[in-house]
Amino acid sequence: GCPMRQSIVAKAAFWLLIVAIVIFSIFPFYYAIISSFRSGSALFSTSILPDAFDSANYVSVFVGQPFARNIANSVFVAVAVVALSLFLGVTAAYALGRVSFRGRGLLLITILSVSMFPQVAVLSGMFELVRALGIYNSLWSLILSNMILTLPFTVWVLTTFMRELPKELEEAAFVDGASPWVVVSKIF
């Protein structure tokens, strides 16, 4: 009797804690959505349940602003940055993780040091680079800037990943006639 009751109480307490954490995590999103349907002085209302749904805010965002184009630009920039960072990061990580050469350790420490720089510290240099390339005020400048800021961390993480993979996989692929690019793209 007693251990079973303790088990039921423990499970109930655990699930109550889970429900409380979920409500605590989701409530800000819920409140933001409810607030987005309010306008005027109703925005200052603190009621948790919606009084009425007014879609005027959404209409003004999509009709009065180029919101859809801005979202499409953001998606384009995000996809381009991820694709370029992965391509450059995987190839660099393969070289740094699998190929032995002089200065590899120093280069890895330099990459780690660059990733620890505050982003504000490289802002003026990045601006000069964007201006020199003639891509100021374009999506390409955003792609280049984000890639410059994410690439060192990507290379560092992928280099660690490449080092931990068994060398036998790579050697077996080379024995089967795979080129280094096939090993990088298909095996790793």
Side-chain angles (χ1 to χ4, degrees):
C2 188
M4 188 172 177
R5 182 183 295 156
Q6 287 178 343
S7 173
I8 292 172
V9 169
K11 283 184 180 180
F14 173 75
W15 283 108
L16 278 173
L17 180 64
I18 293 292
V19 167
I21 290 172
V22 167
I23 289 172
F24 184 77
S25 300
I26 291 179
F27 182 75
F29 298 107
Y30 167 77
Y31 195 75
I33 291 169
I34 294 302
S35 296
S36 72
F37 287 104
R38 295 179 180 155
S39 59
S41 62
L43 278 171
F44 300 106
S45 170
T46 58
S47 65
I48 295 174
L49 298 174
D51 303 328
F53 287 102
D54 182 13
S55 61
N57 293 336
Y58 287 97
V59 170
S60 68
V61 162
F62 281 99
V63 173
Q65 304 287 327
F67 189 72
R69 191 183 78 211
N70 293 343
I71 293 294
N73 287 346
S74 294
V75 168
F76 174 73
V77 168
V79 167
V81 168
V82 167
L84 286 169
S85 289
L86 274 179
F87 174 73
L88 294 172
V90 164
T91 52
Y94 177 74
L96 291 168
R98 293 297 190 178
V99 178
S100 227
F101 58 90
R102 262 175 44 151
R104 182 173 69 170
L106 179 63
L107 185 58
L108 280 169
I109 294 298
T110 304
I111 290 171
L112 182 62
S113 301
V114 167
S115 69
M116 287 190 267
F117 261 80
Q119 294 177 354
V120 174
V122 297
L123 211 58
S124 63
M126 205 177 318
F127 175 74
E128 290 299 324
L129 176 66
V130 164
R131 200 171 66 176
L133 291 174
I135 56 175
Y136 179 73
N137 203 16
S138 72
L139 292 180
W140 299 109
S141 65
L142 203 55
I143 290 169
L144 179 67
S145 301
N146 282 316
M147 194 181 62
I148 287 172
L149 296 173
T150 60
L151 198 56
F153 183 72
T154 304
V155 169
W156 182 262
V157 169
L158 288 175
T159 300
T160 305
F161 169 74
M162 293 279 185
R163 280 185 175 170
E164 291 178 3
L165 287 173
K167 268 223 186 269
E168 291 78 22
L169 283 174
E170 183 182 3
E171 291 168 355
F174 283 134
V175 166
D176 290 341
S179 67
W181 177 248
V182 170
V183 170
V184 168
S185 61
K186 303 258 167 109
I187 307 294
F188 291 122

